[in-house]
Amino acid sequence: MSTHDERPLNNRVHHVRAGELDGYAAISGGTVGSRNLWMGMVENPPLSATDNHHHGESEAGIYVVSGHPVFVYHDGTQEVRIAAGPGDFFLVPPNVPHREENPDPNEPAVVVIARTTQEPIKVSLPELYQLKETETK
């Protein structure tokens, strides 16, 4: 490790205990010195929805821990809604606008998110639509 690199040593396994997250982040450049991966946990309260957004050039992998979230995106023709439950996985490709909803009136939806960037990228959008190639550059 050079004297200019303030990240933790990357020749060992890092353990982030339950309850030690930095906000939503468990694994990031800031928490453990990750260079290419971000992981965190998000809890969406009952009857909530995120704004429409995408994660730039980052891929996002999502694992549903508990609850029954709904993932919404536009396929270029129509809005698509995918209901999920505990144990389900999703891949959100780079630059795909989407939102997460929790329609349950009582139970929060808890998901673990992994992204292929060191830090979380979230670009909010005014509406849900399919990005054109020129919009992603």
Side-chain angles (χ1 to χ4, degrees), residues 76-91:
T77 303
Q78 62 185 358
E79 185 176 279
V80 177
R81 303 175 64 78
I82 304 172
D88 289 353
F89 287 86
F90 288 89
L91 170 67

Side-chain angles (χ1 to χ4, degrees), residues 82-106:
I82 304 172
D88 289 353
F89 287 86
F90 288 89
L91 170 67
V92 180
N95 297 300
V96 172
H98 61 282
R99 77 175 166 266
E100 299 90 34
E101 299 177 353
N102 180 9
D104 192 291
N106 301 308

Side-chain angles (χ1 to χ4, degrees), residues 4-16:
H4 299 295
D5 188 355
E6 296 180 13
R7 297 180 190 182
L9 291 175
N10 283 315
N11 63 349
R12 66 181 181 90
V13 173
H14 297 268
H15 181 192
V16 179

Side-chain angles (χ1 to χ4, degrees), residues 29-45:
T31 60
V32 297
S34 174
R35 292 190 173 103
N36 299 306
L37 177 68
W38 183 95
M39 285 186 75
M41 187 164 45
V42 175
E43 180 175 313
N44 294 314

